[in-house]
Amino acid sequence: MTYSIVARDPETDHLGIAVASRFFAVGALVPHIRGGKGAVATQAFINPMLGVEGADRLAKGEAPEQVLTDMITRDGGRLQRQVHMIDANGQIAAHTGAECVDWAGHTAAQGVSVAGNMLAGPQVVEQTLAAYQAAMDEPLPERLLTAMEAGAAAGGDKRGTQSAALRIHRTEDYPWIDLRADDHPDPLAELRRLLDVAGERFLHVAEIMPTKADFSGLTDRTSIDAAIAAEEARRKAEGRVSRSFATELGEQGQNPSVALKK
């Protein structure tokens, strides 16, 4: 009922998953990532435990093939499951059960795996992978969305569209980007809009958030205020308006520092 891409950025070691489906809130259960250590997408007749346990075991250093073989052997629904994963070294393992609804299958290249079921045909995963590889000079979020859009253009989920998600982790177990369109007529286009909006403020704030290595993060917002102001000025100079649905900031909100507070 879904197609997804799981990837490791070779330049940054960041891990990302993008997914689309004719199913409600696909981003709630398909993607599972442990910061910098492993990513798993579990789909078809979904077993979320494949994602939870799989990601935990990858984070502990187990090899993807070992993890997948063990879990699939134990899963009584294995014939209806589809799961693929990647570890911190870019190693990949994938499984498409024999009873997954046609068309179902997976493909992979160095550092990237694509899998889908109930698709228009094999061209969906093939074009998703090709588009990802052709966009290696782009940032990971753009690369993943471009790949998913190519899969949609090739037919995508043969039932149509309903939801999509984009999740990327850097070094932490909390996501750097976690965008979802849970029920939308064009969910990939909605992810594009959300990514644009994230670039206005959120991604700047994300740069100073606490990490395992720096528990407090950066508490002086001066550099972030400047970055947000520069982004707004650049957008206005280019004649672009904000794509956010947020209400206009009040008088206090003219100060970016105030706007950062929740």
Side-chain angles (χ1 to χ4, degrees):
M1 298 184 285
T2 302
Y3 72 105
S4 62
I5 180 169
V6 178
R8 171 183 171 272
D9 189 309
E11 298 297 322
T12 64
D13 297 331
H14 299 163
L15 296 168
I17 296 175
V19 57
S21 180
R22 176 59 173 83
F23 192 80
F24 177 73
V26 71
L29 295 175
V30 169
H32 299 261
I33 305 177
R34 302 294 179 266
K37 296 181 179 179
V40 182
T42 174
Q43 53 201 45
F45 193 54
I46 190 169
N47 178 350
M49 296 312 301
L50 295 173
V52 174
E53 180 179 325
D56 284 344
R57 291 174 65 174
L58 291 178
K60 293 176 181 176
E62 291 190 57
E65 197 62 50
Q66 174 184 330
V67 172
L68 182 61
T69 298
D70 175 62
M71 292 195 303
I72 291 300
T73 300
R74 290 160 42 215
D75 185 0
R78 69 183 73 87
L79 296 179
Q80 301 175 75
R81 313 290 193 208
Q82 186 173 58
V83 58
H84 57 141
M85 61 183 68
I86 189 168
D87 71 2
N89 299 314
Q91 297 182 92
I92 292 164
H95 164 80
T96 298
E99 294 180 5
C100 289
V101 180
D102 283 339
W103 185 89
H106 52 266
T107 186
Q110 180 64 39
V112 57
S113 175
V114 182
N117 62 92
M118 207 177 286
L119 301 183
Q123 70 276 10
V124 177
V125 295
E126 292 166 358
Q127 290 302 311
T128 301
L129 177 60
Y132 179 87
Q133 292 178 303
M136 291 302 292
D137 58 337
E138 298 289 342
L140 185 57
E142 174 67 25
R143 205 181 315 154
L144 291 170
L145 277 183
T146 295
M148 294 299 292
E149 288 164 347
D157 188 319
K158 65 184 179 183
R159 301 163 305 162
T161 60
Q162 183 173 8
S163 67
L166 172 67
R167 184 178 298 175
I168 297 174
H169 287 234
R170 289 181 165 180
T171 59
E172 306 307 306
D173 287 339
Y174 67 78
W176 172 55
I177 293 176
D178 189 5
L179 305 178
R180 287 171 44 179
D182 286 345
D183 185 33
H184 197 279
D186 192 349
L188 290 176
E190 175 64 0
L191 290 188
R192 280 259 174 222
R193 184 189 71 81
L194 291 172
L195 186 59
D196 282 349
V197 175
E200 294 178 10
R201 289 178 178 271
F202 176 80
L203 294 183
H204 297 293
V205 178
E207 293 298 323
I208 66 170
M209 286 185 179
T211 65
K212 291 188 291 287
D214 182 1
F215 189 76
S216 298
L218 182 64
T219 57
D220 180 350
R221 294 189 294 264
T222 303
S223 63
I224 301 306
D225 290 348
I228 291 172
E231 177 65 32
E232 183 175 1
R234 180 165 51 251
R235 189 172 65 250
K236 289 181 177 179
E238 294 173 356
R240 295 183 291 115
V241 299
S242 172
R243 300 184 68 190
S244 174
F245 296 147
T247 56
E248 291 293 325
L249 289 171
E251 193 170 303
Q252 282 187 318
Q254 301 307 312
N255 180 343
S257 290
V258 176
L260 291 177
K261 294 180 179 179
K262 291 189 176 182

